[in-house]
Amino acid sequence: IGRALITYCETQARVGGFGSVSLYTNARMTANLRIYPRLGYVRTGRGREDGFDRIYFSKDLTSA
């Protein structure tokens, strides 16, 4: 289901004319930390937000 949601998000972003997609996950979600790079996402940062340790990712949609 997660991959389908990511694919849908990327498709809608392309249709909307966006050149990239950004997302974040909790650092404790280790499965997410493995899957996002496999789907073409690049880690762009890390920080605390609302008491959570966040890992930020981005994917360039213009070269895909």
Side-chain angles (χ1 to χ4, degrees):
I1 293 173
R3 283 184 193 218
L5 289 170
I6 292 287
T7 299
Y8 178 79
C9 176
E10 291 173 6
T11 299
Q12 293 303 305
R14 284 186 182 98
V15 168
F18 293 92
S20 67
V21 172
S22 298
L23 56 83
Y24 64 83
T25 189
N26 190 303
R28 292 185 179 190
M29 303 291 197
T30 57
N32 293 351
L33 299 177
R34 290 189 303 271
I35 196 168
Y36 292 143
R38 282 189 242 152
L39 296 175
Y41 286 79
V42 176
R43 184 174 161 169
T44 59
R46 183 176 190 152
R48 289 198 66 78
E49 183 180 352
D50 298 325
F52 296 100
D53 189 10
R54 308 259 194 224
I55 307 291
Y56 300 90
F57 291 89
S58 182
K59 181 174 181 178
D60 179 7
L61 300 177
T62 62
S63 61

